[in-house]
């Protein structure tokens, strides 16, 4: 590029020895090629038209990238982030992007690469670390060594859909949990009227109308907080009608005690305490039907309950816990992302993708190949139904991408 007779920059778009059409976006090549070390220089100098189309795909597309090992899937994804940040710099911010890596070793790699692309503020984490942080460290994972002994010991269980990871990672388990949460939500309000003192009564019908109508748009536990706060305001308004000072003092004391008792009737759950209750062998929750109770195999129910007593969970329990969290308190704006990269997506269960999907709108999912995990949760294509997409197997192309779900379906399940 020459401006005012001065050479501003030189960009080499020639693909030495290649048959593919060279990339013609010189600004993209210039930006991607400057100040790179050997980890990135190779792909910058050999970007093909197909890779370029992936990098420059529309920002509202959800993509799945498929390619053989070493074909540059991850590197292309990182360059795509850089492209989006520069091309849509008024709409997309690095702080609103997140990369889910398969392990912390991979995080070490990308933490060195991203600053070289000028996008060092992108969040980088593993699904496990992200989930535990959102759950405020209320639970801990079971010991990794114990899990390995369980799966690789002499009495290891069958590797079928009844395996804990597959069972809890499947869409059927998510739908079951959805039904349980719906049942709890419908029966959450206590049956009792609120009577703080004589001749003051708040009908249960009114309380339910607040909960089911006026605060319907709020997450479940937020609705509980709003309704209890409104009951307190109602009680204060009733107190204002009492003129006698000694009666007002007496009623205030009685009302505070009654409100505490009423609050105890309406249990305030955390995601973990609710999840733990679903597997309690001593007492089935009143909102849980017999059919829902029997849905979970007895062995899985017992092992989950045993771990929960020690405030421990298996990795496959993190997605259900996050799902409960989203229903209970919602996903706040600072936890939502404009763009997400999931590397080694084949090791994500459909439930994990759905749980992460609550926090993002425009997913970018990588490498939907064969999972290496013994306890892989990935279901067959027919189990995913219309929410699933599948990249054709046996493609001869080294690297390709398919645009998938539209933006408003970004929280659906991808494979």
């Amino acid at each position: 590029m020459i401006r005012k007779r001065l050479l501003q920059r030189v960009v080499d778009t020639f693909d030495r020895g290649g048959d593919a059409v060279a990339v013609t976006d010189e600004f993209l090549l210039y930006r991607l090629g400057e100040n790179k070390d050997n980890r990135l220089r190779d792909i910058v100098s050999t970007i093909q038209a197909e890779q370029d189309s992936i990098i420059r795909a529309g920002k509202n597309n959800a993509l799945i990238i498929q390619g053989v090992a070493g074909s540059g899937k991850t590197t292309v994804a990182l360059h795509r982030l850089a492209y989006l940040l520069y091309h849509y710099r008024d709409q997309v911010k690095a702080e609103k992007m997140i990369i889910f890596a398969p392990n912390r070793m991979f995080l070490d790699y990308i933490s060195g690469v991203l600053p070289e692309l000028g996008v060092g503020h992108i969040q980088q984490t593993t699904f496990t670390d992200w989930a535990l942080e959102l759950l405020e460290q209320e639970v801990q994972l079971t010991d990794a060594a114990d899990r390995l002994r369980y799966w690789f010991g002499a009495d290891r269980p069958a590797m079928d859909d009844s395996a804990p990871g597959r069972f809890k990672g499947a869409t059927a388990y998510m739908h079951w949990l959805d039904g349980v949460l719906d049942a709890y939500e419908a029966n959450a309000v206590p049956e009792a009227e609120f009577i703080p003192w004589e001749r003051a009564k708040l009908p249960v019908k009114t309380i339910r109308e607040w909960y089911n109508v006026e605060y319907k748009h709020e997450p479940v536990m937020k609705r509980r907080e709003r309704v209890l706060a409104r009951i307190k305001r109602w009680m204060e308004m009733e107190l204002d009608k009492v003129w006698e000072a000694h009666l007002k003092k007496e009623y205030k004391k009685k009302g505070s005690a009654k409100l505490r008792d009423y609050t105890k009737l309406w249990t305030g759950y955390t995601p973990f305490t609710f999840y733990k209750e679903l597997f309690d062998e001593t007492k089935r929750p009143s909102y849980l039907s017999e059919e829902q109770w029997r849905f979970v195999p007895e062995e899985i129910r017992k092992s989950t309950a045993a771990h929960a007593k020690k405030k421990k969970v298996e990795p496959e329990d993190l997605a259900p816990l996050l799902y409960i969290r989203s229903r209970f308190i919602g996903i706040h704006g600072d936890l939502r992302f404009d763009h997400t990269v999931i590397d080694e997506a084949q090791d994500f269960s459909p439930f994990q993708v759905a749980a992460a999907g609550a926090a993002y709108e425009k997913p970018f999912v990588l490498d939907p190949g064969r999972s290496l995990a013994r306890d892989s949760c990935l279901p067959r294509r027919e189990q995913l139904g219309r929410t699933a997409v599948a990249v054709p197997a046996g493609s001869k192309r080294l690297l390709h991408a398919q645009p998938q779900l539209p933006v408003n379906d970004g929280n659906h399940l991808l494979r």
Side-chain angles (χ1 to χ4, degrees), residues 237-305:
M237 290 167 57
E238 292 297 305
L239 270 176
D240 289 340
K241 299 176 183 178
V242 180
W243 291 97
E244 297 88 343
H246 70 283
L247 280 179
K248 180 173 287 193
K249 183 177 180 180
E250 178 186 342
Y251 288 171
K252 184 176 182 180
K253 184 177 180 181
K254 281 185 177 180
S256 297
K258 291 286 187 178
L259 184 57
R260 286 194 296 270
D261 292 340
Y262 185 85
T263 301
K264 291 177 182 177
L265 293 175
W266 196 345
T267 306
Y269 291 102
T270 67
F272 174 69
T273 57
F274 182 85
Y275 192 64
K276 177 182 178 181
E277 188 175 84
L278 302 183
F279 303 95
D280 189 348
E281 294 280 337
T282 61
K283 182 182 178 182
R284 190 181 82 208
S286 58
Y287 52 83
L288 203 61
S289 69
E290 179 69 23
E291 181 181 359
Q292 289 172 327
W293 173 254
R294 296 298 174 192
F295 173 80
V296 180
E298 184 177 3
E299 183 179 348
I300 293 179
R301 189 168 63 242
K302 287 182 176 180
S303 65
T304 305

Side-chain angles (χ1 to χ4, degrees), residues 69 147 168 197 203 286:
R147 294 198 299 271
K168 290 181 177 179
W197 56 79
S286 58

Side-chain angles (χ1 to χ4, degrees), residues 86-296:
Y86 283 99
H87 195 73
Y88 301 100
R89 51 188 169 273
D90 295 330
Q91 305 172 43
V92 180
K93 303 298 179 185
E95 294 79 6
K96 301 297 288 182
M97 291 180 167
I98 189 169
I99 299 173
F100 286 109
N103 52 58
R104 292 175 183 173
M105 184 181 298
F106 182 85
L107 289 176
D108 291 338
Y109 165 73
I110 61 174
S111 65
V113 169
L114 290 175
E116 295 168 6
L117 291 170
V119 290
H121 297 296
I122 295 176
Q123 297 187 52
Q124 308 143 44
T125 186
T126 65
F127 181 84
T128 297
D129 290 343
W130 179 71
L132 291 174
E133 182 178 356
L134 286 182
L135 295 170
E136 299 179 344
Q137 306 297 328
E138 186 182 10
V139 296
Q140 293 180 332
L141 289 183
T142 55
D143 185 71
D146 290 341
R147 294 198 299 271
L148 288 174
R149 281 191 290 269
Y150 176 76
W151 285 110
F152 292 95
D155 299 324
R156 63 188 179 195
M159 303 297 175
D160 54 23
D161 290 343
S162 66
R166 290 197 181 199
F167 181 82
K168 290 181 177 179
T171 55
Y173 190 70
M174 182 181 69
H175 296 324
W176 169 79
L177 187 57
D178 228 5
V180 170
L181 287 165
D182 287 343
Y184 167 74
E185 182 179 341
N187 296 278
V189 178
E191 296 288 340
E193 297 174 327
F194 180 66
I195 304 176
W197 56 79
E198 299 82 1
R199 295 187 298 278
K201 181 175 72 173
L202 182 60
V204 66
K205 180 180 179 181
T206 301
I207 299 174
R208 284 179 176 167
E209 184 176 350
W210 292 345
Y211 179 81
N212 293 318
V213 180
E214 296 193 31
Y215 301 133
K216 178 68 176 177
H217 62 285
E218 300 274 8
V220 174
M221 287 300 145
K222 293 290 186 182
R223 285 156 69 185
R224 174 183 177 272
E225 292 177 8
R226 295 286 296 272
V227 171
L228 290 175
R230 188 160 178 177
I231 291 174
K232 184 178 180 181
R233 289 197 301 273
W234 171 87
M235 189 172 66
E236 291 169 349
M237 290 167 57
E238 292 297 305
L239 270 176
D240 289 340
K241 299 176 183 178
V242 180
W243 291 97
E244 297 88 343
H246 70 283
L247 280 179
K248 180 173 287 193
K249 183 177 180 180
E250 178 186 342
Y251 288 171
K252 184 176 182 180
K253 184 177 180 181
K254 281 185 177 180
S256 297
K258 291 286 187 178
L259 184 57
R260 286 194 296 270
D261 292 340
Y262 185 85
T263 301
K264 291 177 182 177
L265 293 175
W266 196 345
T267 306
Y269 291 102
T270 67
F272 174 69
T273 57
F274 182 85
Y275 192 64
K276 177 182 178 181
E277 188 175 84
L278 302 183
F279 303 95
D280 189 348
E281 294 280 337
T282 61
K283 182 182 178 182
R284 190 181 82 208
S286 58
Y287 52 83
L288 203 61
S289 69
E290 179 69 23
E291 181 181 359
Q292 289 172 327
W293 173 254
R294 296 298 174 192
F295 173 80
V296 180

